[in-house]
Amino acid sequence: MSAARRAVGDRIVHKEFPPITRHRLALYCGASGDHNPIHVDIDFAKAAGFPDVFAHGMLVMGYLGQALTDAVAPSRIRSFSTRFAAITQLGAQLTCEGTVIELIEQGGEKRAKVALTTKDQNGEVKLAGEAVIAL
């Protein structure tokens, strides 16, 4: 569907990611510089009261950003915001989605507000957000 023909309710973002592995978390530690042991050291995680390590929130946000930019050219994104809703456990299979919730015009430019979510395989929302895109 053409971007100019967007309608409220259109799902414009949909991307599924493979399960989060220990290897992925270790790679993200190196790439991001976030070496908090809660994400890679099971003994540390258990001592902190968690059953295992869990994903970095920014990794999950990165997945959502990738899903958005796969669906919408970065030059058309006017804003992108998120909030963390729940811990993402090791092995989670994440799906990122975005649905048009409002059509607006700002500064003479037609835009769409898009509600964004990242959910695991059980449907639990891990991340929620919003983007404004130019149509």
Side-chain angles (χ1 to χ4, degrees):
M1 175 182 288
S2 164
R5 294 185 186 170
R6 296 286 181 213
V8 172
D10 286 353
R11 184 176 75 178
I12 63 171
V13 176
H14 180 87
K15 186 171 182 102
E16 297 177 11
F17 290 87
I20 293 176
T21 63
R22 292 181 196 285
H23 184 245
R24 171 69 58 194
L25 295 180
L27 289 173
Y28 187 79
C29 279
S32 70
D34 180 349
H35 297 279
N36 186 329
I38 200 81
H39 301 297
V40 291
D41 183 337
I42 190 170
D43 294 330
F44 184 92
K46 286 185 175 182
F50 296 97
D52 204 339
V53 298
F54 53 87
H56 305 71
M58 293 303 289
L59 172 61
V60 178
M61 185 177 172
Y63 282 177
L64 185 57
Q66 180 184 354
L68 178 62
T69 57
D70 282 356
V72 178
S75 63
R76 292 183 30 225
I77 299 171
R78 300 297 178 254
S79 67
F80 172 54
S81 61
T82 63
R83 66 176 176 76
F84 301 109
I87 289 174
T88 301
Q89 302 297 336
L90 190 67
Q93 293 178 269
L94 300 177
T95 300
C96 300
E97 295 187 323
T99 302
V100 175
I101 58 170
E102 185 179 1
L103 298 172
I104 57 176
E105 188 167 325
Q106 195 168 30
E109 182 178 64
K110 293 182 179 183
R111 297 177 176 180
K113 283 186 180 178
V114 181
L116 301 166
T117 60
T118 301
K119 298 178 181 176
D120 70 8
Q121 67 278 12
N122 300 315
E124 183 178 16
V125 175
K126 302 299 184 178
L127 193 69
E130 184 178 285
V132 175
I133 62 170
L135 298 177

